[in-house]
Structures are given as C-alpha cells and as structure tokens.
Amino acid sequence: IPPADEAQIVVEAHAPRDLAKVEIMRNGDVLHIASPGKPDCHLELSDRPEASATTFYHCRVTQDDGQLAVCSPVWVG
C-alpha cells in the first residue's frame, strides 16, 4: 500500500467462542485493544503512519479460552 498521511484500519473478527481481546498492532507494538466479550467484533480505527519509515499493521485476536489468531501484516509506505 503506498504511503499516506492517514491509515484507515478495519478489523472484522468472528470466532466460535467469546473474544477476550482484539489487539491492533503497529510495528509490533499495541496500538489499540478492545475487549468485546462476544464471538463477533468490528473495529474501525485511524492512525498516522510514521512519515520517515515503513509502517506495518496486524491484528491479534484472543478467545476467552486463550486460543490465539494473528493475521498477516499489512505494510504501508
């Protein structure tokens, strides 16, 4: 994805159990945490990528039983 002043991040997560935590990560650091407490979650977030560096985003989803899923990173810039 080409460089932009603002990144629009949309996460749609569905699981067989309640979701304990949905984390949006930027360059390996937690940018945002949601605690849905139900099997479905929709998040929308805006962020300003670092202008001088390549930025990547990914999502980490944890069910209430500790099972974890991680999406592939999306690189910006």
Side-chain angles (χ1 to χ4, degrees), residues 7-72:
Q8 298 296 321
I9 303 159
V10 178
V11 173
E12 191 78 35
H14 305 281
R17 297 183 57 109
D18 288 347
L19 297 171
K21 190 167 36 173
V22 177
E23 298 168 286
I24 298 174
M25 315 289 286
R26 177 182 58 201
N27 295 338
D29 297 322
V30 177
L31 178 65
H32 180 79
I33 299 174
S35 301
K38 56 186 180 179
D40 303 301
C41 180
H42 177 86
L43 294 175
E44 294 187 26
L45 183 70
S46 296
D47 186 50
R48 295 199 176 274
E50 297 177 30
S52 62
T54 302
T55 302
F56 70 93
Y57 297 92
H58 72 281
C59 180
R60 186 166 54 198
V61 178
T62 307
Q63 291 184 152
D64 63 359
D65 64 354
Q67 294 291 315
L68 176 72
V70 179
C71 75
S72 298

